[in-house]
Amino acid sequence: MWRISKSWLRGLGLEFWLPLPLVAVVFWLSCSFLAAQQLSQSYSTEKKLQSDTQLEARLSVNVLLINAAVNRTQKITQIEVKTADPILKRLELELPTIEFSQIEATIAEELGLPRQDVRKLVRYEIVD
């Protein structure tokens, strides 16, 4: 009888198909176990995000004109920089000083330009 059922299984191809559900269940259980092990572990990060730092970006733009409005009563200077860059056309700064040498030095430092170039480009307007 065993010979009849074995040949009958071979004829239907069931020798291959019958163990497949068992293999699938073993594979599923082992993958579930491995995933549970990985997900239960705690990971510590080496680098943490710091939100209290400021990002400093340096741009190299072609400056066309610098207008500085010096307000003597409030002791501030409002600066408008016009550039030839199509993305950054205008840049505004506000400085807590009204002395021309400090204004030029700060503009030169912020824009990364030589101080002589800033002196040629800046136009002052005194506001009382």
Side-chain angles (χ1 to χ4, degrees):
M1 179 161 172
W2 178 248
R3 288 187 170 257
I4 295 172
S5 63
K6 195 172 186 182
S7 65
W8 183 70
L9 289 174
R10 275 190 196 150
L12 293 175
L14 294 179
E15 277 186 338
F16 174 75
W17 294 106
L18 282 179
L20 273 181
L22 180 63
V23 171
V25 167
V26 169
F27 181 75
W28 179 71
L29 287 174
S30 62
C31 287
S32 298
F33 176 74
L34 289 174
Q37 291 295 322
Q38 282 296 108
L39 292 174
S40 67
Q41 291 180 359
S42 63
Y43 294 99
S44 63
T45 57
E46 297 292 324
K47 296 181 182 178
K48 296 179 179 156
L49 180 64
Q50 294 180 350
S51 62
D52 59 346
T53 59
Q54 289 185 352
L55 181 63
E56 192 171 312
R58 291 287 171 191
L59 301 172
S60 72
V61 293
N62 189 10
V63 178
L64 298 175
L65 179 66
I66 302 172
N67 289 326
V70 180
N71 190 330
R72 290 187 178 170
T73 57
Q74 294 180 355
K75 296 198 187 291
I76 61 169
T77 303
Q78 293 179 338
I79 299 167
E80 181 182 356
V81 180
K82 294 184 180 177
T83 68
D85 192 294
I87 296 172
L88 181 66
K89 293 185 181 209
R90 207 175 85 185
L91 180 67
E92 292 181 356
L93 302 169
E94 188 172 301
L95 303 177
T97 184
I98 58 172
E99 294 183 30
F100 297 141
S101 61
Q102 287 181 347
I103 293 169
E104 291 171 359
T106 306
I107 293 171
E109 182 182 331
E110 287 291 323
L111 298 178
L113 295 173
R115 201 162 172 188
Q116 296 83 8
D117 291 349
V118 171
R119 205 172 275 144
K120 292 176 189 174
L121 293 169
V122 71
R123 304 290 178 254
Y124 291 103
E125 179 186 351
I126 309 296
V127 180
D128 285 325

